[in-house]
Amino acid sequence: SLSRESKSILRRELKLSSSPLVLDADAITLLAKSKLSLKDAKRKIILTPHEGEFSRLVPDFDHSRREEFAENFARKNNCILILKGHRTITATPDELFINTTGNPGMAKGGSGDVLSGIITSLIGQGIPVDQAAYTAVWLHGAAGDKAAKTYGEYSMTPTDMLCTLKSVICEVQKQD
């Protein structure tokens, strides 16, 4: 719900806590509507919008200049921006990463929740926030690719991605 109480909670969380915060979906809409500033946050903020959500934050967003807009937003707001879509972009105030994993079958409700969960899990394991963001994006896409091979892009679900995530992580660990 995008209630007054929700806005109050978001405002408080941006200002008070020092632990990292991942914002997706309704939280991004709230952020756009409430005109809250990310610059004053005492914590690392990670936003994970798709292009429609991002255009609420940046009304003049131009898809043909995704990288530039993502980079400028992250720098201006001192945050990490994960702009989801084909070749998902992870922009930090200092760096830009373009992901090569993932597929159109991931454009389903709930896929962003999987990504947010991976990010928070990596942060909880002590991985630095910037690294957790771009690593999570890659793992999310790789799990999506594996789910697409097993179930097909059209039929795959976010739950299928969760089921393939373990084997993706095991494959990465074997390479180390």
Side-chain angles (χ1 to χ4, degrees):
S1 162
L2 302 178
S3 68
R4 192 176 330 184
E5 183 179 354
S6 298
K7 289 178 187 175
S8 177
I9 291 169
L10 180 59
R11 182 177 291 111
R12 183 183 69 232
E13 287 302 313
L14 287 173
K15 292 182 179 183
L16 296 180
S17 182
S18 60
S19 57
L21 179 66
V22 179
L23 300 177
D24 188 26
D26 281 350
I28 292 169
T29 300
L30 264 175
L31 189 64
K33 287 185 175 185
S34 64
K35 307 284 192 240
L36 293 172
S37 174
L38 295 174
K39 294 178 203 170
D40 301 328
K42 294 181 180 180
R43 56 166 72 190
K44 288 265 192 163
I45 306 291
I46 301 171
L47 290 97
T48 64
H50 56 63
E51 291 185 3
E53 293 165 334
F54 187 63
S55 67
R56 291 181 202 133
L57 292 169
V58 182
D60 65 338
F61 172 62
D62 178 356
H63 169 82
S64 68
R65 297 170 35 216
R66 295 173 78 231
E67 294 170 24
E68 176 187 343
F69 274 83
E71 195 169 37
N72 289 339
F73 185 89
R75 191 176 305 116
K76 178 182 172 190
N77 292 284
N78 193 32
C79 68
I80 299 166
L81 176 72
I82 298 173
L83 184 55
K84 299 181 292 195
H86 178 68
R87 301 280 189 234
T88 293
I89 296 169
T90 303
T92 73
D94 304 312
E95 297 180 280
L96 184 79
F97 302 90
I98 300 174
N99 191 49
T100 57
T101 61
N103 63 77
M106 297 169 65
K108 293 182 172 84
S111 291
D113 297 325
V114 173
L115 175 60
S116 294
I118 297 168
I119 296 166
T120 55
S121 172
L122 294 175
I123 292 169
Q125 294 174 60
I127 294 174
V129 177
D130 293 7
Q131 184 181 349
Y134 62 74
T135 301
V137 168
W138 187 90
L139 288 169
H140 182 249
D145 289 343
K146 191 163 201 140
K149 285 180 185 166
T150 304
Y151 305 101
E153 282 184 9
Y154 182 78
S155 300
M156 64 183 268
T157 67
T159 301
D160 297 330
M161 292 168 50
L162 279 174
C163 292
T164 60
L165 181 60
K166 179 181 178 182
S167 64
V168 168
I169 292 171
C170 287
E171 289 170 16
V172 170
Q173 288 176 327
K174 286 179 189 175
Q175 293 174 5
D176 286 342

